[in-house]
Amino acid sequence: PVPLGGGLAILTATVLSIGLVMIWSNKFSTAIRHSSSSFVGLLAAALILCVVGLADDRFTLRGRQKLAGYVLAVGVLIYSGLVIRDIHFLNWQIQLGVLAIPFTMFWLLGAINSLNLLDGADGFATTIGIVISGAAGNLAPWGGAGRMLGNNPVAFAIPSNQEFPIIFDMATSKVARGYVLLAARAGEP
């Protein structure tokens, strides 16, 4: 059997965690109050996605019905101010201008659907974890001298019915930047 309603548990845990942090951290609470429209938009979009997920679990929605819910959630985010206005890649900056809102819609719908389209894989889709974090440019590319690339860690794990799961965890550099900084402070090469 495939567990259902996981989105509700994740949404509840996230809202409770944010609430607790707001109670304990005046700095975080102040930051939320200063960006309240963005925060309310994010919560509203998360609630819409949760309702669509619950409806899909209960009634098995068609693709176009789920897409309508996702478009509504992304529309709420865009209305609350989340718009990708420019793209930075290496040393290039691309201003999106009139394409900012369609690009944001496309980007967020792609992010939402990156795992949702794997519904046919049932529980397997939810057990694959992929983590790629963004980083500021601090590495020179091969043959280069300027800092242009981030030291992004890449990790993923895939469960297996064999003896061991498939686990991959690496960084894009030979040495972690933190170790390089510690060595530099200590005067070591």
Side-chain angles (χ1 to χ4, degrees), residues 15-108:
V15 169
L16 288 175
S17 298
I18 290 170
L20 288 173
V21 171
M22 285 181 68
I23 290 169
W24 283 315
S25 171
N26 190 35
K27 189 175 186 180
F28 184 77
S29 181
T30 302
I32 293 293
R33 274 190 243 107
H34 285 303
S35 59
S36 61
S37 66
S38 298
F39 185 69
V40 169
L42 182 62
L43 284 178
L47 183 62
I48 292 167
L49 292 176
C50 186
V51 168
V52 170
L54 289 172
D56 185 38
D57 288 346
R58 176 69 176 100
F59 304 109
T60 312
L61 299 178
R62 297 182 62 116
R64 64 177 169 253
Q65 294 166 324
K66 290 190 277 188
L67 180 61
Y70 301 156
V71 168
L72 176 63
V74 171
V76 167
L77 284 173
I78 290 172
Y79 182 76
S80 70
L82 177 67
V83 178
I84 302 170
R85 300 192 189 288
D86 52 20
I87 301 170
H88 299 265
F89 181 72
L90 300 176
N91 284 336
W92 298 326
Q93 180 178 359
I94 302 168
Q95 298 290 330
L96 294 175
V98 296
L99 297 176
I101 290 177
F103 183 86
T104 303
M105 178 69 74
F106 178 76
W107 186 267
L108 292 175

Side-chain angles (χ1 to χ4, degrees), residues 37 101 114-115 120 157 179 184:
S37 66
I101 290 177
S114 62
L115 288 177
Y179 292 136

